[in-house]
Amino acid sequence: MSVYLIPIKIAFILFGVLSFFLIIPWLVYSYRKYGYLSLWASIVAYSFTFYMLSVLFLVLLPLPDTRNTCALQSPDTVHYNLIPFNFVRDIMNSGSVVWSQPSTYVRLLTQSAFLQAAFNFLLLLPLGVYLRYFFQQKRFWKKALGFGFALSLFIETTQITGIYGIYNCPYRIFDVDDLILNSTGALFGFVIAPVLLALFPSRNSLIAKGEKMQENSLVPPLSQLLAVIIDYLLIKMSWNLTAGLFPTSGFAEFVYKTTCFFILFFVVPFIWRGNTIGTKILRFKLVHVDGEAPPWQSMLKRSFAIYLPFAISWALNIFSGVELDITLNPYHVWITMIILAFLIIMWAVLFIHTMFILMKRGRRNFYFDYVADLVPRKHKFDPK
């Protein structure tokens, strides 16, 4: 059993790392696709990613300890089986089951040939379920069979080539029975999928819900927060890919980020009449409470309200790195502790405020929009 559990554990670890980096792109895609951030669509996408990683590691791991796998095998080793249904013969020839005695059939569960065949059948069965969810209609069963065969062929080709030349000899064989069982499993999953999918919302219902939500002018608070995060990440990335590549002082970083901050949060939305890059991506804009385009005073208040917590955090980093005379060290420590305590309280308050706004589901504005007399309004939604 550990042969199967270890690859799944590795897939889970890698999935956790990928999830961290893909969360923002996925949320943007989900909002643009459905018009709102769907929890069910997220579960489907993330579970499919984890499943595909698990399939990949199950068929490739464990890897050999050396690239010279030829030295580990005898010269007459055969790396392929091109005889269809050879697994049936292996099962029938097993001495553990007496086919005239049904009471011995339970021994199949301990028979390696049967378990190997069952594993290959079940390996791509979930793929068929996912394909049925994506394609919806049963008339696409040929596509499900084709996708199952193509993925299985990719796996077998990867194995017979020693992962495309990484190993000088294959460490697993190319088996035509695997192609048959994998493809059949994917088709079977496609056929039985409605029984499982009946318990969950369909893609059509997600799109219908998105269209209904567009009738409401309220912008989901998570989308508002995501737009701010996107704009901030652009500042962070621009620093890391430009001046951050060279040795610089903390003060230079502070000046750079401050300049970029007011460009993205003040200049850009003022020129774009209420649109930042983040709000543009998420298809909403900021308008004044009277329904007009936001004046520069409102945009300045909003940008400063968002900037202040970050500015205090950046200033603390600069202050912490300042080297003072030894006689001033006690004061430096106390001032640093006071600022740190203030930061903890400030970010705790902002976290509670954010949770409160998220629970209100758009009926209350974030503090930075409230102080600036701004409200978010949706663009026209056009599902692709």
Side-chain angles (χ1 to χ4, degrees):
M1 185 61 69
S2 62
V3 175
Y4 301 115
L5 291 180
I6 292 176
I8 293 176
K9 288 180 181 179
I10 296 175
F12 182 78
I13 294 172
L14 181 58
F15 169 74
V17 175
L18 289 176
S19 298
F20 176 78
F21 290 101
L22 294 177
I23 182 65
I24 299 298
W26 164 252
L27 291 176
V28 171
Y29 169 81
S30 180
Y31 186 80
R32 291 180 64 88
K33 177 68 176 180
Y34 300 107
Y36 68 105
L37 302 177
S38 169
L39 176 61
W40 170 241
S42 301
I43 291 174
V44 171
Y46 272 75
S47 64
F48 181 72
T49 302
F50 174 66
Y51 164 68
M52 294 304 294
L53 285 174
S54 297
V55 169
L56 179 64
F57 291 149
L58 280 169
V59 299
L60 295 183
L61 300 181
L63 296 175
D65 296 329
T66 176
R67 292 185 61 186
N68 185 21
T69 50
C70 292
L72 304 176
Q73 306 168 10
S74 60
D76 59 345
T77 300
V78 178
H79 299 109
Y80 55 86
N81 168 44
L82 302 179
I83 303 175
F85 302 106
N86 192 51
F87 73 94
V88 176
R89 185 184 63 184
D90 292 339
I91 295 174
M92 296 295 293
N93 292 339
S94 173
S96 62
V97 178
V98 180
W99 297 104
S100 60
Q101 299 178 15
S103 61
T104 65
Y105 291 176
V106 70
R107 298 176 186 173
L108 285 172
L109 300 179
T110 61
Q111 188 184 98
S112 60
F114 174 81
L115 292 176
Q116 183 68 25
F119 167 79
N120 282 301
F121 178 79
L122 295 175
L123 183 65
L124 297 191
L125 188 147
L127 176 66
V129 177
Y130 281 108
L131 292 175
R132 184 61 177 268
Y133 176 80
F134 296 135
F135 291 141
Q136 296 291 309
Q137 300 179 16
K138 62 181 180 181
R139 62 187 177 89
F140 292 112
W141 66 269
K142 292 181 181 179
K143 288 187 177 182
L145 182 62
F147 273 110
F149 179 82
L151 180 57
S152 180
L153 183 61
F154 168 75
I155 292 171
E156 297 301 313
T157 302
T158 303
Q159 292 175 338
I160 193 63
T161 58
I163 312 183
Y164 305 103
I166 294 179
Y167 299 97
N168 56 8
C169 279
Y171 62 96
R172 294 190 180 182
I173 70 170
F174 180 101
D175 196 337
V176 70
D177 283 342
D178 291 350
L179 290 174
I180 296 172
L181 290 168
N182 292 161
S183 305
T184 306
L187 178 60
F188 184 73
F190 187 86
V191 172
I192 68 169
V195 178
L196 302 175
L197 297 178
L199 303 174
F200 306 102
S202 66
R203 291 181 69 248
N204 291 335
S205 66
L206 296 181
I207 295 175
K209 181 179 178 180
E211 293 174 346
K212 183 177 180 180
M213 290 184 67
Q214 289 306 306
E215 300 174 1
N216 190 336
S217 61
L218 295 178
V219 177
L222 187 56
S223 302
Q224 302 175 42
L225 186 63
L226 182 58
V228 174
I229 293 174
I230 291 173
D231 290 326
Y232 173 75
L233 288 179
L234 289 175
I235 298 173
K236 189 76 172 176
M237 291 172 59
S238 69
W239 166 259
N240 292 335
L241 296 176
T242 54
L245 296 174
F246 307 96
T248 55
S249 65
F251 181 74
E253 181 179 358
F254 177 82
V255 173
Y256 179 93
K257 289 184 176 179
T258 298
T259 303
C260 291
F261 208 99
F262 279 94
I263 290 175
L264 287 183
F265 285 93
F266 174 62
V267 177
V268 170
F270 179 70
I271 295 175
W272 277 2
R273 300 178 63 83
N275 275 306
T276 69
I277 296 176
T279 63
K280 194 79 171 178
I281 292 174
L282 293 171
R283 293 175 174 165
F284 73 89
K285 64 179 180 179
L286 301 168
V287 300
H288 196 259
V289 289
D290 60 9
E292 300 296 327
W296 69 266
Q297 296 93 335
S298 294
M299 298 311 309
L300 183 62
K301 289 180 182 179
R302 181 180 187 269
S303 60
F304 185 77
I306 299 175
Y307 168 75
L308 188 59
F310 294 102
I312 295 174
S313 300
W314 297 335
L316 175 61
N317 289 333
I318 297 174
F319 182 77
S320 300
V322 174
E323 296 183 4
L324 300 177
D325 185 85
I326 190 170
T327 59
L328 299 176
N329 275 344
Y331 301 102
H332 182 267
V333 171
W334 279 106
I335 294 174
T336 302
M337 292 180 62
I338 291 172
I339 296 176
L340 180 61
F342 174 78
L343 276 178
I344 294 174
I345 295 173
M346 178 189 68
W347 285 109
V349 171
L350 289 176
F351 176 78
I352 294 172
H353 168 75
T354 300
M355 293 298 102
F356 176 76
I357 298 300
L358 291 177
M359 289 188 294
K360 286 296 182 178
R361 299 183 178 180
R363 295 188 294 272
R364 294 286 297 272
N365 287 337
F366 285 102
Y367 76 95
F368 42 79
D369 288 333
Y370 178 79
V371 298
D373 294 326
L374 297 174
V375 291
R377 286 292 179 262
K378 294 178 181 177
H379 291 171
K380 184 177 179 181
F381 176 60
D382 183 22
K384 297 288 188 296

